[in-house]
């Protein structure tokens, strides 16, 4: 099943709510991912450019994106980004496939 890394930021309104009434954001995001047809493998609060990172598996990325639209529309998150993640074994298979199709490409010059 395809794996995705989702990152984002909490909005000012979300942070005010988290201070006023602390809640388990891992459980909240897992419920959203499940409703979108996926499984949340991990949730991390992060430092730096984003406030959180999810590792998600889902067959239909369009459903995951629909779930992320819900999170964004709520006003609780911003700067949501989704990246497809590949395991080392998947990358090895991609490299083998590239070797098979390499002769079909002619570089410029």
């Amino acid at each position: 099943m395809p794996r995705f890394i989702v990152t984002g930021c909490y909005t000012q309104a979300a942070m005010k709510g988290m201070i006023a009434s602390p809640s388990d954001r891992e459980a909240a995001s897992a419920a959203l991912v499940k409703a979108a047809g996926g499984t949340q493998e991990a949730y991390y609060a992060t430092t730096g450019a984003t406030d959180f990172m999810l590792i998600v598996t889902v067959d239909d990325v369009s459903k995951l994106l629909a779930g992320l639209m819900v999170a964004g529309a709520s006003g609780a998150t911003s700067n949501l980004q989704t990246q497809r993640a590949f395991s080392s074994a998947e990358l090895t298979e991609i490299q083998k496939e590239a070797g098979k199709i390499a002769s079909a490409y002619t570089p410029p010059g």
Side-chain angles (χ1 to χ4, degrees), residues 2 8 17 28 30 36 44 66 68 76 83 87-88 96 100:
Y44 296 99
L68 294 175
Q83 298 176 339
S87 68
S88 180
K96 290 176 184 176
K100 294 176 189 175

Side-chain angles (χ1 to χ4, degrees), residues 74-99:
S74 75
T77 61
S78 66
N79 194 33
L80 292 169
Q81 298 183 33
T82 306
Q83 298 176 339
R84 172 71 160 88
F86 298 88
S87 68
S88 180
E90 289 169 320
L91 179 58
T92 299
E93 291 304 312
I94 291 167
Q95 292 172 65
K96 290 176 184 176
E97 190 63 29

Side-chain angles (χ1 to χ4, degrees), residues 11-99:
T11 63
Q12 179 184 15
M15 289 184 191
K16 284 175 115 176
M18 291 161 67
I19 291 168
S21 181
S23 60
D24 183 354
R25 304 321 304 156
E26 180 175 18
S29 59
L32 183 64
V33 169
K34 183 177 180 181
T39 302
Q40 181 173 285
E41 294 181 7
Y43 166 94
Y44 296 99
T46 57
T47 60
T50 60
D51 297 324
F52 61 86
M53 178 181 78
L54 314 176
I55 301 174
V56 174
T57 54
V58 64
D59 279 327
D60 186 349
V61 69
S62 64
K63 289 183 180 178
L64 174 61
L65 295 178
L68 294 175
M69 287 180 73
V70 170
S74 75
T77 61
S78 66
N79 194 33
L80 292 169
Q81 298 183 33
T82 306
Q83 298 176 339
R84 172 71 160 88
F86 298 88
S87 68
S88 180
E90 289 169 320
L91 179 58
T92 299
E93 291 304 312
I94 291 167
Q95 292 172 65
K96 290 176 184 176
E97 190 63 29

